[in-house]
Amino acid sequence: MTIERTPVELKSPRPESSRQAITECRQELEAEGAGNEGNRIETYRAALKLTLPLFPILAVVITALTYLLPEELVGEAIAFIGGLIGLAINEGVLASLVGLVVAFIFWIVIALPACSRASVRESSPPNYHQITEALDSLIFKICSLHADGSVPVAKVHENGLDEASRRAAREEVVGQIKKIKKRLEDGGMAWVTGAGYIELWHRIHRAQEAMIKLEPLTEVAEGAMLDDERLRDATIENSERLLDRQRCAVAVFEAPGANGYLRYLPESKECNDLTTLGILDGNAKKRLLAKAIKNGEATKKNLRPEAIAILAETRYEINRFRDDSWEGLVNARNHLLDTSWNLGLMTYALLAFTLIMTPDPNTILWAAIYFLIGVITALFARARIEWSTASAVDDFGLTRARLIHLPWLAGLAAVGGVLVSTVLGPQLAAVNGGEAAPTLAAVFDGGNTSLLLVAAVFGLTPDLIIRRLEQQTEKYKADLESTQSTQSTESSLKKESGVTSK
């Protein structure tokens, strides 16, 4: 595509002053926000949030191990703690208290080194590097547009926008850059939850949309090519209308001599009159042809501001669609982690109430074995699925959240499956004269090794539930992949799968 560039009369400063002005502009923007290290208390709170899933795991494990300690140690601990609090306690109460207190102490201590992970750089390194890369690009562009980084002297630029519009666009870009630089120096909960990255991407996108009003037409065409590629297979509801409007807008910037031959975009449905502006039948007289070209190009110049507005609006719709999909992934990850935390606490409560009745330690041991068999089976099935899955989209830790959530579901399902098969089964058979159901203690005595297989089978059932829950999040990923350019998607898949296609 050939772009016509209308000459703008500007006073060209000397090269030395131009380089100095650009350097000063970059230094001013890059230094914005420096020295803000964030609130330490807020950072520690974020670290506590980050390590919160470990708390119920530690509580359950330490409680079970404490109950399985030798009777001599447990008896001495009961006498000591009972005398300390002035209450009579048994082994189950002791194990529950020890597990809860020790897990809490471990959680508080582990959060201290985790503070370094509660930063924008470490919480999501891929997003951090992409944001800083986009930010650097904005700084380079805004400082290099003109020698002194200011609005041009001419009242109207080559894209048809007046000085006020371009000044407002530049203030938008500079303001967003300063906000982003300042936000990148903060620590806190926003990075752990992912909300901070969503905010920064919103600001990056608003600045990029404003840059369309400032960039030379060649760069505007470059961005339009990328947007066209992203819209072709996009699942945006009005993608066809957006694509047609964008192609119509790009046709406004075509040079007079191109006559449609160098246009990289296919013909638009709604702008045939625009694409034929300045083109007349070759058999027409030269005088009529020259007049038609002159009138057509004048019309196209008058339409440039509207065309720029259409390109900016199209970019906004694409960015908003992608931001909403990212936000959906972040919310799904956070909800899953909260559910895992609550499920872990309920597992600890179930174990604590069971231990208060002081069951045989062998019963707890076998219940733990069934629990672990269910966990291992589910994780093995999940690992097989993850190994065969290639995605070009970063899911903000949603996959890791599933791996935290799955063991709780699988372990409880395995223990529940053993109970159902050994207690409910004989009860149903007893109606027809079968044997009576075994006692609860007899279920976990280790006498029936076939229950290990039952635990493994029931351990697979939560993975089926998680696959059902994955459908919505997979839709978010599909939406994001649909708005990526074909080449960028293929490149990301190659990097993850290690496959090189011809």
Side-chain angles (χ1 to χ4, degrees), residues 359-418:
D360 189 301
N362 190 56
T363 301
I364 301 301
L365 178 61
W366 276 97
I369 290 174
Y370 295 143
F371 188 95
L372 291 176
I373 287 177
V375 171
I376 293 173
T377 306
L379 289 178
F380 182 79
R382 170 53 51 176
R384 182 177 58 82
I385 296 173
E386 296 295 339
W387 290 338
S388 60
T389 301
S391 175
V393 176
D394 177 28
D395 60 2
F396 275 96
L398 180 59
T399 301
R400 291 193 298 271
R402 289 199 197 107
L403 293 179
I404 295 174
H405 188 64
L406 183 60
W408 293 117
L409 290 176
L412 292 175
V415 175
V418 169

Side-chain angles (χ1 to χ4, degrees), residues 226-289:
L226 178 60
D227 290 342
D228 180 86
E229 185 74 20
R230 297 161 77 187
L231 281 172
R232 288 183 185 180
D233 299 319
T235 55
I236 303 177
E237 185 177 354
N238 57 342
S239 60
E240 291 187 3
R241 182 171 61 87
L242 289 174
L243 187 60
D244 197 53
R245 287 173 56 193
Q246 188 217 18
R247 291 173 174 175
C248 188
V250 172
V252 172
F253 301 106
E254 188 175 51
N259 289 340
Y261 294 116
L262 298 181
R263 187 179 301 118
Y264 73 94
L265 296 175
E267 185 177 359
S268 176
K269 299 176 184 176
E270 300 177 359
C271 60
N272 290 329
D273 54 338
L274 258 177
T275 57
T276 56
L277 280 175
I279 303 174
L280 199 64
D281 192 334
N283 297 325
K285 295 181 179 180
K286 292 184 179 180
R287 182 175 57 81
L288 295 177
L289 178 61

Side-chain angles (χ1 to χ4, degrees), residues 187-204:
M189 195 73 69
W191 310 121
V192 173
T193 61
Y197 298 103
I198 299 298
E199 176 195 348
L200 291 187
W201 278 121
H202 279 295
R203 295 189 179 278
I204 288 286

Side-chain angles (χ1 to χ4, degrees), residues 79-131:
F80 174 76
I81 296 179
L84 188 63
I85 63 177
L87 296 174
I89 60 175
N90 58 25
E91 294 88 343
V93 175
L94 172 68
S96 301
L97 289 175
V98 170
L100 185 63
V101 172
V102 174
F104 182 78
I105 294 173
F106 266 100
W107 175 46
I108 296 297
V109 173
I110 291 174
L112 291 173
C115 287
S116 60
R117 293 290 307 278
S119 63
V120 59
R121 183 188 296 269
E122 298 297 334
S123 290
S124 180
N127 272 282
Y128 172 77
H129 293 304
Q130 292 174 22
I131 288 172

Side-chain angles (χ1 to χ4, degrees), residues 354 357 363 419 422-423 437-445:
T354 302
M357 297 183 292
T363 301
L419 286 172
T422 56
V423 176
T439 62
L440 189 61
V443 176
F444 300 101
D445 61 358

Side-chain angles (χ1 to χ4, degrees), residues 8-15 17-18 146-148 150-154:
V8 179
E9 295 183 1
L10 294 175
K11 295 181 179 180
S12 301
R14 286 177 291 183
S17 60
S18 300
H146 306 287
D148 57 355
S150 63
V151 178
V153 177

Side-chain angles (χ1 to χ4, degrees), residues 444-465:
F444 300 101
D445 61 358
N448 188 356
T449 55
S450 62
L451 294 178
L452 297 175
L453 179 60
V454 173
V457 171
F458 276 87
L460 292 174
T461 54
D463 189 58
L464 302 177
I465 299 175

